[in-house]
């Protein structure tokens, strides 16, 4: 079965299509993600070879840590991607996908760094820092 998903930034300057399965959605509450999005970063992953992007000229890349960068739309400011140097996968903000996305939130990371103005009230697993096996930058890098 061919699995395809499409999505775009707020203004539509950046559009993408993914092919194949997507990772479950991870909610990252670290200070970097909160400052970029205003709340927390909810993202899925796909192999770099399984995404096509239209409007790449509208993406600005910001080196957010010593080993990763974040992409956002330079027209509307939408947070788009997170990718580690030499990575084989790219994280994509879950809210960018067209509906139905069939995405499911699986767990929360960096909960010790979450904002003090909200509570995590679902029953999903919560990790104080990152989850073992999941590449992240974390709040201090």
């Amino acid at each position: 079965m061919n699995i395809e998903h499409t999505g775009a930034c707020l203004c539509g300057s950046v559009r993408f299509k993914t092919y194949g399965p997507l990772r479950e959605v991870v909610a990252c509450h670290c200070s970097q993600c909160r400052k970029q999005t205003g709340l927390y970063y909810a993202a899925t992953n796909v192999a770099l070879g399984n995404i096509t992007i239209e409007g790449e000229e509208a993406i600005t890349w910001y080196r957010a840590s010593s080993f990763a960068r974040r992409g956002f739309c330079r027209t509307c400011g939408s947070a788009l991607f997170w990718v580690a140097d030499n990575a084989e996968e790219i994280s994509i903000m879950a809210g960018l996908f067209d509906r139905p996305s069939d995405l499911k939130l699986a767990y929360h990371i960096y909960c010790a760094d979450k904002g003090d103005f909200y509570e995590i009230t679902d029953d999903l697993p919560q990790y104080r820092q990152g989850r073992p096996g999941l590449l992240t930058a974390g709040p201090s890098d």
Side-chain angles (χ1 to χ4, degrees):
M1 172 167 71
N2 276 345
I3 302 170
E4 294 183 1
H5 292 90
T6 59
C9 65
L10 180 62
C11 70
S13 292
V14 179
R15 293 205 53 80
F16 62 87
K17 184 182 280 190
T18 64
Y19 307 90
L22 299 169
R23 184 200 67 200
E24 71 275 3
V25 175
V26 175
C28 183
H29 300 267
C30 80
S31 58
Q32 279 192 15
C33 290
R34 284 189 294 104
K35 288 181 182 214
Q36 184 184 29
T37 66
L39 188 55
Y40 58 87
Y41 196 99
T44 184
N45 270 15
V46 70
L48 281 168
N50 291 348
I51 185 171
T52 57
I53 300 172
E54 295 177 18
E56 288 188 61
E57 66 280 357
I59 300 173
T60 294
W61 289 96
Y62 171 70
R63 178 144 301 274
S65 69
S66 62
F67 68 91
R69 59 194 179 131
R70 295 170 182 266
F72 62 93
C73 175
R74 73 177 59 156
T75 305
C76 66
S78 293
L80 304 168
F81 308 114
W82 182 92
V83 64
D85 298 342
N86 303 313
E88 296 180 9
E89 296 182 326
I90 186 169
S91 289
I92 307 167
M93 295 290 287
L96 300 172
F97 285 89
D98 297 327
R99 295 168 103 180
S101 71
D102 298 322
L103 294 171
K104 302 282 186 244
L105 186 61
Y107 53 90
H108 301 267
I109 59 174
Y110 292 100
C111 295
D113 198 38
K114 76 168 197 58
D116 61 0
F117 59 92
Y118 67 94
E119 297 300 323
I120 302 170
T121 59
D122 59 38
D123 292 329
L124 297 173
Q126 296 181 26
Y127 295 89
R128 181 170 171 71
Q129 299 298 319
R131 193 187 112 215
L134 181 70
L135 178 62
T136 62
S140 61
D141 188 27

